[in-house]
Amino acid sequence: MGLLNSVSFQRLQGGLDAATKRQSVLANNVANADTPNFKRSDVSFESFLRQQESGLKSSLSAKVTDSRHFQFGTVTGIPAAVVSTDETTSMNNNDNNVDMDREQALSAENQLRYNSYVEQLNSQITMMRTVVQGG
């Protein structure tokens, strides 16, 4: 097993990918704040990761002895970020549902989340470097 293939690194990579995708989606929302009939989108990742970690999946897993075998049951893969569009609400007379204050708050929260993922990743790399190079 490679040092960078651990589940914790995969989770951090998934978090970084989700935060990057979320920032792009939020920027698109802001850019279309005055576009008639535009509906805002959001990215879900952390909730899927929490569900996976809380064990909402089956505890039965298949033994894989060959890379060509199908995997089923408990899989250690990290869920992908999902973009969803809110088609049910309208905030303005033009049927747009972008609230600039909300988008800015979500963007700030996303930046904090991204920074924490980077800090955790750096910390794990530092620990691995210390182990490999010695105290």
Side-chain angles (χ1 to χ4, degrees):
M1 180 175 134
L3 292 175
L4 300 179
N5 290 333
S6 70
V7 173
S8 61
F9 270 105
Q10 291 175 1
R11 287 180 180 155
L12 288 171
Q13 180 63 48
L16 287 170
D17 292 345
T20 301
K21 184 180 285 191
R22 184 177 291 115
Q23 190 61 35
S24 175
V25 167
L26 291 170
N28 185 51
N29 291 346
V30 169
N32 287 288
D34 294 324
T35 304
N37 300 313
F38 178 81
K39 300 298 183 183
R40 70 174 305 280
S41 297
D42 202 2
V43 175
S44 299
F45 171 75
E46 290 77 13
S47 61
F48 295 136
L49 190 59
R50 275 192 298 275
Q51 287 176 354
Q52 185 183 50
E53 289 175 346
S54 67
L56 295 179
K57 297 186 336 176
S58 169
S59 61
L60 179 66
S61 62
K63 181 175 182 181
V64 178
T65 58
D66 190 297
S67 62
R68 296 172 290 179
H69 287 169
F70 290 108
Q71 293 187 3
F72 63 90
T74 305
V75 179
T76 59
I78 305 305
V82 175
V83 177
S84 59
T85 303
D86 178 8
E87 300 283 349
T88 62
T89 61
S90 291
M91 296 258 322
N92 302 323
N93 291 335
N94 63 3
D95 284 333
N96 186 309
N97 66 353
V98 176
D99 178 5
M100 289 297 287
D101 292 334
R102 180 175 186 223
E103 300 302 317
Q104 290 175 346
L106 290 172
S107 183
E109 176 186 348
N110 189 57
Q111 185 63 46
L112 291 171
R113 189 176 281 148
Y114 182 88
N115 290 344
S116 71
Y117 291 146
V118 170
E119 285 180 28
Q120 291 174 4
L121 191 61
N122 285 337
S123 175
Q124 288 192 9
I125 290 172
T126 300
M127 286 188 289
M128 287 184 190
R129 186 179 308 142
T130 301
V131 168
V132 171
Q133 294 176 347

